[in-house]
Amino acid sequence: LSVAALAVLFGAWGARRIETATEFVGNLDRSAQMRADYEAINERLGGANLIQIAIDSPLEQAFLEPANLRVLTELTQWLGAQPEIGGAVSLADYVALVNRAMSDGDPAALRVPDTKRAVGQLLLFGASDETERLTDARYQTANVVVRASVGDSRGVAALVERIEARLAALPEPLHATVTGNVVLFSKSLDDLAGGQWASLGAAFLMIYACLAALFTSLRVGL
């Protein structure tokens, strides 16, 4: 029993050093075409994994307001400064590009206009399929598209945690959620690992209860 107890303690100590993660494409052989393409996109385009940040407001046409668009600009600039992120695009970037195009390419016009009316006119004249993935029809939800080069679930979780800490500083009444395939997969992996711990604990208790009842002794059951 003493040896068994020591073995359990040593195993528990070792289990705490286990890091739950998966490498996604990194598990493929280096000669696999999919891995080669994935690494090429990461190197040349700044990231092959897309992360979405959905920012909601209870107010309709909230993202026609220049102040809210500037919040998006500040957020994308912060995202672009993160080492794992190759770029981020929001509705504010699209509005700034259309504004410059309407100003005959003047570099100084690459910015969000100062009035809600001017923003609305730019989006009316410059409407395209691109805006459909950056905002909804009521301009109540904005979508920030992020390209990330991080390839393992542990790295994704660390990046999402840092992004969520930054999103907590958004002004009221804006509320943001980080999502995307790699984010959901990473969270599912964490849930799976947590479920395994719960299953192991439940199995231990059930087996102990059955043995204790069989031998009518809590000590012998242990």
Side-chain angles (χ1 to χ4, degrees):
L1 289 176
S2 299
V3 172
L6 289 174
V8 169
L9 291 175
F10 181 75
W13 173 80
R16 291 175 57 85
R17 301 171 62 86
I18 296 174
E19 296 182 358
T20 305
T22 186
E23 272 288 330
F24 303 125
V25 180
N27 287 327
L28 297 176
D29 189 87
R30 288 189 175 275
S31 62
Q33 186 63 44
M34 182 182 293
R35 179 167 178 175
D37 293 343
Y38 173 84
E39 292 176 348
I41 292 173
N42 266 343
E43 180 182 353
R44 300 175 187 176
L45 299 181
N49 293 321
L50 290 183
I51 296 176
Q52 318 271 349
I53 303 175
I55 305 177
D56 300 307
S57 172
L59 306 175
E60 286 194 17
Q61 297 188 341
F63 289 100
L64 292 181
E65 296 288 349
N68 289 333
L69 290 177
R70 293 189 183 101
V71 169
L72 296 182
T73 299
E74 293 173 0
L75 177 61
T76 54
Q77 289 174 348
W78 179 87
L79 289 166
Q82 306 309 303
E84 307 95 331
I85 294 177
V89 179
S90 72
L91 182 64
D93 299 302
Y94 184 81
V95 170
L97 284 173
V98 176
N99 190 36
R100 184 178 66 177
M102 293 292 184
S103 303
D104 296 326
D106 182 5
L110 187 63
R111 62 179 183 85
V112 174
D114 296 324
T115 65
K116 179 179 178 179
R117 180 179 180 182
V119 172
Q121 288 175 342
L122 289 175
L123 289 173
L124 176 64
F125 293 126
S128 72
D129 295 339
E130 185 71 16
T131 58
E132 294 181 2
R133 74 186 189 108
L134 298 176
T135 185
D136 65 335
R138 296 181 298 175
Y139 298 100
Q140 196 168 352
T141 300
N143 181 35
V144 180
V145 182
V146 181
R147 296 195 319 275
S149 60
V150 62
D152 64 287
S153 60
R154 192 173 183 82
V156 170
L159 176 60
V160 169
E161 183 178 356
R162 205 183 322 143
I163 293 174
E164 288 177 340
R166 173 62 177 80
L167 295 176
L170 291 178
E172 294 291 342
L174 301 181
H175 176 267
T177 303
V178 185
T179 186
N181 287 341
V182 292
V183 176
L184 296 177
F185 190 87
S186 178
K187 291 181 178 179
S188 298
L189 188 67
D190 290 340
D191 292 341
L192 179 62
Q196 289 178 331
W197 274 108
S199 297
L200 183 63
F204 179 86
L205 291 176
M206 290 294 295
I207 293 172
Y208 169 66
C210 290
L211 290 174
L214 178 65
F215 294 105
T216 64
S217 170
L218 296 177
R219 183 180 66 84
V220 174
L222 183 61

